[in-house]
Amino acid sequence: MALILNEEQQMLKTSAKEFLKERAPVEALRKLRDERSETGFDRQMWNEMAEMGWACLTISESYGGLDFGYVGLGQILEETGRTLTASPLISNVLLGTTAINLAASNTQKEALLPIIAEGKMLVTLALDESTRHNPIQINTTASKEGDSYVLNGKKVMVLDGHVTDKFVVAAKTENGVSLFLVDAKSDGISIQRVIMMDSRNSATVQFENVKISASSLLGEEGQGAATIEKILDIARIGLSAEMVGSMTEAFERTVAYLKERKQFGVPIGSFQALQHRAAQMFCEIELCKSLVLKSLQAIDANEENLPILASMTKAKVSETLQLVSNEGVQMFGGIGMTDDEEIGFFLKRARVAQQTFGDANYHIDRFAKLSGY
Amino acid sequence: MTTTTEMPTPIETFRMEVRNWLEANCPTSMRQPIKSEKDLYWGGRNGTFANEDQKAWFEAMYEKGWIVPHWPKEYGGGGLGKEENKIVLQEMARLGCRKPITSFGIWMLGPALLKFGSEEQKRHYLPEITAGKIRWCQGYSEPNAGSDLASLATSAVDMGDHYVVNGQKVWTSYADNADWIFCLVRTNKEAKHGGISFLLIDMATQGVSTSPIKLISGKSPFCETFFDNVKVPKENLVGELNRGWTIAKYLLTHEREMIGGIGETDVKKPLHQVAIESLGTENGTLNDPILRPDIARWSIDKMAYDITIKRTMDEVKAGQSLGAASSFFKYYGTELNKAKYELMLAMGGYNGAAWEGEEFNYGQLARQFCRTKGNSIEGGTSEVQLNIVAKRILGLPSK
Ligand SMILES: Cc1cc2nc3c(=O)[nH]c(=O)nc-3n(C[C@H](O)[C@H](O)[C@H](O)COP(=O)(O)OP(=O)(O)OC[C@H]3O[C@@H](n4cnc5c(N)ncnc54)[C@H](O)[C@@H]3O)c2cc1C
């Protein structure tokens, strides 16, 4: 398949860019932060996003979605990466919706997807339990009691967990790992909001004897592990698209500053020491763009090598975003250290996004394993 | 999109024909990876075939018109369209067919002549190239004109019906085996870039001499080339007088794409395969825990680079221009190749340290390693490519 966007995808990207520039520039994130917003994102803006169809791009038409695909969603995510827009796109669209798409029964889909498609229900994934991303390490249990299950355990880094309507919870059952759809208001759930370095939100969620009905099981009992990997691979690629947006924006801002700032009577961008570092970043960013587009296409085409592509992409994009965000602050000099200058917001988002769904080290190791060494 | 597929499309039929023809005509020994310089056929007045298979393969391809499949037939090519040309190259790569000839004429001079040459020049020089009759070399660099190529001094003085050339070129790859040289010469001392012309010179002319220079790899593939009152006919000028820099730049772009590996069709063993074979694995994990992530990182970069070449080519097809991107590819591709050999050497251990001896394949790995260091120098250094990316792509100012 040609590694270019088709006309519709290009149009979606352009309209996303215009909307975000207007409605959710970096100042908007600063405002949410400074006002200590309850939700951590702008609900009204999310409604507008949903009206434009952003909540339902990956939901099939039979459940009220647009069935537009992940290449399209990736373009929106890339644009939100440029503006550092906080929204439920990662938690709800990449994780929650994907989980339901992949694992839910038709009945469950009929009940959930049309509401999710309208942006009126938020679903997120409650998976990690350790200090670093480690989806195999699950101690949360779901023990069967008659017709229902009882959940016990603690989840960390549950994205937007403080405002979600439902959790997709990964828990150990008798014969493996299973996924459950759990109402956030259920008895026995306590949610601790965590404001992160990038001013976005996650939550630590405690499940204490939470009683859930058997009908909330997503997919077959004990068959959750493969689904989790697939959800994560899709999310890793989607997040990488956002990260490419952030690195492109941070880089463009840095290059603009190199042309504008003068020292020794000349623009600092005329110094070769800075030129070469900028040129090297340009090259790395080009590689990242290619990986992301290739991987997004692979999701839509349901390609078998998705795990390897996802790890390649998340590894390379994480390392490059680290480089570009560091160089951004360095090349802005003293002003780069101030809260007033926005380049620092990119640094903070970078580090959180790097850790999310596995950092470069995690994925380099996984890539090697998947390649047979 | 058609749903019924009983009838193959013309392009699929063509692919099958190519495949069958290659299967039938490419000798098995010509489908083995290149092991040494001897495996390459360079052609030229003194060119000899290493063996019967090499000869048969070249002649079959020549008769088929596939030495350069996409050049027009009247210039010795196969007259194939872009898509068909790609299919021939893909099918050759699939079978692992060697190139029937290695030739600077094909990948450097040819494109320049096609774009800037006169009709007579195209009809004269191009068929000689595809027939493997004339071997060309590139005379750009001089002792005092390397990265700053436009400061070159070798002069061509107009004597009415001919030019007289005086000066010295250096790092001229394979000059001692070449028949002709395409040169950048100074035809006007007053203008730097605007005083350079592109001249074709028969190296058998009186006054041309070469002297080999030994490389750190132990070989002497390049030379100093001297011009001492060399008479060159006026019709050997390509393009307009004093407009040679345009041609040089065009050619350098082409050269960079080639060195950067664009359009590379060689099938090589993946690096991690080499690692698994040389280091071994335990429970599916490479035995060297420190090299392992380095190899993985390199492999990711290499694949990402290849995907980027494809994306760029798709963009070119969709109407965007390649432009300075060739500098990015030249820089990145050559740095990757150097990094690969650093890893190969690290994996090779003492085997990579040996320079001689049959059991060490005569120091092949060490020698190749040394040679890769030239990748980021030849065709414009990495630093120069980064300068170009910074200025032309990023628009950063000069002092
Ligand atoms: C294997 C090999 C084959 C070759 N084959 C041919 C051939 O067939 N024909 C031919 O004409 N030439 C050939 N060359 C020559 C090649 O093009 C030159 O070596 C190259 O352009 C560099 O020039 P130089 O060697 O004079 O180095 P210099 O220009 O002296 O460079 C020395 C160092 O200074 C750096 N430098 C120079 N200018 C700048 C700058 N503006 N900014 C930052 N750093 C800078 C360089 O990057 C390099 O690191 C070949 C070279 C090699 C190694």
Side-chain angles (χ1 to χ4, degrees), chain A residues 1-4 251 255 258-259 266-267 269-272 274-276 278-280 282-287 289-291 293-294 309 311-313 315-316 319 360-361 363-369 371-373, chain B residues 272 275-276 281 284-286 292-297 299-305 307-312 314-315 318 320 325 328 331-332 382-387 389-391 393-399:
Chain A
M1 197 190 300
L3 286 165
I4 40 177
F251 180 63
V255 170
L258 293 181
K259 293 178 188 172
V266 293
S270 64
F271 300 134
Q272 202 178 47
L274 301 187
Q275 289 185 343
H276 281 192
Q280 282 164 327
F282 167 84
C283 299
E284 301 296 351
I285 294 171
E286 284 300 302
L287 264 61
K289 288 179 181 168
S290 311
L291 282 174
L293 183 54
K294 172 98 183 156
L309 278 173
S311 278
M312 281 169 66
T313 304
K316 181 73 191 170
E319 290 197 331
N361 287 340
H363 285 290
I364 282 163
D365 176 62
R366 183 169 180 256
F367 168 83
K369 261 190 210 126
S371 310
Y373 62 101
Chain B
H272 75 265
I276 290 170
T281 58
T285 304
L286 203 65
R292 180 174 176 264
D294 288 350
I295 290 162
R297 259 197 196 86
S299 305
I300 291 172
D301 283 345
K302 169 72 173 138
M303 281 191 256
Y305 176 72
I307 296 169
T308 304
I309 291 177
K310 167 146 189 343
R311 176 168 68 87
T312 307
D314 288 343
E315 286 169 359
Q320 298 175 24
F328 148 47
Y331 161 70
Y332 212 95
S382 279
E383 290 77 11
V384 166
Q385 306 313 318
L386 290 174
N387 288 345
V389 171
K391 298 213 169 83
I393 300 182
L394 304 178
L396 290 171
S398 307
K399 262 195 200 152

Side-chain angles (χ1 to χ4, degrees), chain B residues 311-337:
Chain B
R311 176 168 68 87
T312 307
M313 292 303 136
D314 288 343
E315 286 169 359
V316 169
K317 267 188 236 153
Q320 298 175 24
S321 96
L322 183 60
S326 65
S327 286
F328 148 47
F329 289 123
K330 159 64 166 86
Y331 161 70
Y332 212 95
T334 55
E335 293 296 334
L336 266 179
N337 202 42

Side-chain angles (χ1 to χ4, degrees), chain A residues 272 276, chain B residues 104 138-141 145-148 170-173 215 222 371 374 377-381 383-384 387:
Chain A
Q272 202 178 47
H276 281 192
Chain B
F104 288 3
Q138 178 193 38
Y140 282 17
S141 306
S147 298
D148 184 13
V170 75
W171 322 130
T172 330
S173 295
L215 279 188
F222 59 19
R371 179 60 185 85
I377 300 172
E378 58 199 319
T381 66
E383 290 77 11
V384 166
N387 288 345

